[in-house]
Each structure stands twice: as structure tokens, then as C-alpha cells.
Amino acid sequence: MRLTIGQLARATAVPASAIRYWERHGLLPEPERQGGQRRYPPEAAGRIVLLRKCQQAGLTLAEIRTFQLEQSTRQAMIRGKLVEIEQRRIDLEHAHQLLTHALQCGEEDIVRCPKFREQMATWRTPAEADPTRASAAPS
């Protein structure tokens, strides 16, 4: 059974406008038409869930296009994205530590807090923590 765009939108909790947008940008295959209406195969819902997850992972439209290509083509993009996500994860952990400490700190200026200064000194980027990555980073 083929789905209308409204049925597909309801089934995936994605607005029809987003579905049309992804079609225009080549992220979804052009659907069949019956009487001028778009008709989608049931597996289109899985593709839309994947697109949404890619967006939530921070992939751009260009990266999502690359993600949908053959495995050998997409691997370099995925490796780069994993490095980026790992850095965001570290940044969020540091932000969490900062805010948690700030809630408990008695210092008027948190920068003057010796315990906070110690904590800040331990914060490193992946490249700083791994000397082999630092040498591979562009100058």
C-alpha cells in the first residue's frame, strides 16, 4: 500500500514541507504520482527516520547526501564527523563541570577559585590529549 504525503508525515512525525524539501534536494527519491498526488512506498518511512537521525547527529544536507552513497565514499565523511561529535561531547562535559562547580562555588569570581582553576587545567581537546592527533592537525 502506498502512502500519501500526509499519511507519511503523520507516520514519521515529520512535516510534509520537510518531506518535499528533502525530495527537492535529492535526499529522498521522487515518489510515484497517482492523480497528481505523491504516493510513497512503506519503506520511505524508514528513509525519513534515517534523515531525521542524521540531522540530529549534526549532519549537513551535503553530509547526508554523502552518507547515502556507497560505504567507501561515505567513510571519510563519517570519520570526520565522529571527531567533531567527540569534540562536542567533550565541550558539553566541560560546560557541565563549569556549571556544576559554579552552583557550589563560594567565590565571588569563579576564575579566582583554585579548585576551578585546577579543573580548567585538566580540560583538553582530543588533539591536545593525543599527541599523535596533534601532529596531524592543520596549522
Side-chain angles (χ1 to χ4, degrees):
M1 179 176 138
R2 300 240 171 222
L3 306 169
T4 66
I5 195 166
Q7 292 168 325
L8 187 59
R10 281 189 296 283
T12 60
V14 171
S17 59
I19 295 169
R20 286 189 295 272
Y21 180 82
W22 289 335
E23 284 173 18
R24 280 194 309 274
H25 287 84
L27 300 173
L28 285 174
E30 188 70 29
E32 288 181 14
R33 295 206 180 244
Q34 290 179 356
Q37 269 193 338
R38 291 173 167 88
R39 297 294 178 158
Y40 298 87
E43 58 270 10
R47 174 69 60 189
I48 288 172
V49 169
L50 174 65
L51 289 171
R52 198 52 131 185
K53 290 297 176 191
C54 286
Q55 284 184 321
Q56 291 168 346
L59 274 68
T60 64
L61 290 180
E63 289 168 334
I64 293 170
R65 266 188 224 94
T66 302
F67 188 83
Q68 294 185 72
L69 297 175
E70 60 193 40
Q71 187 173 1
S72 61
T73 305
R74 69 178 174 233
Q75 284 186 342
M77 182 278 297
I78 291 171
R79 282 188 194 94
K81 200 57 153 178
L82 285 172
V83 169
E84 181 184 315
I85 288 171
E86 178 62 16
Q87 183 59 54
R88 283 196 333 230
R89 190 194 63 74
I90 290 168
D91 292 344
L92 285 171
E93 179 58 31
H94 292 167
H96 183 268
Q97 290 171 8
L98 164 68
L99 296 174
T100 301
H101 182 86
L103 276 175
Q104 302 164 354
C105 186
E107 291 284 338
E108 188 68 32
D109 181 357
I110 194 170
V111 175
R112 293 184 186 173
C113 174
K115 188 174 180 182
F116 178 69
R117 291 173 70 84
E118 271 180 46
Q119 189 175 42
M120 278 183 27
T122 67
W123 294 347
R124 304 213 186 302
T125 64
E128 292 169 331
D130 181 355
T132 61
R133 288 172 72 174
S135 62
S139 310

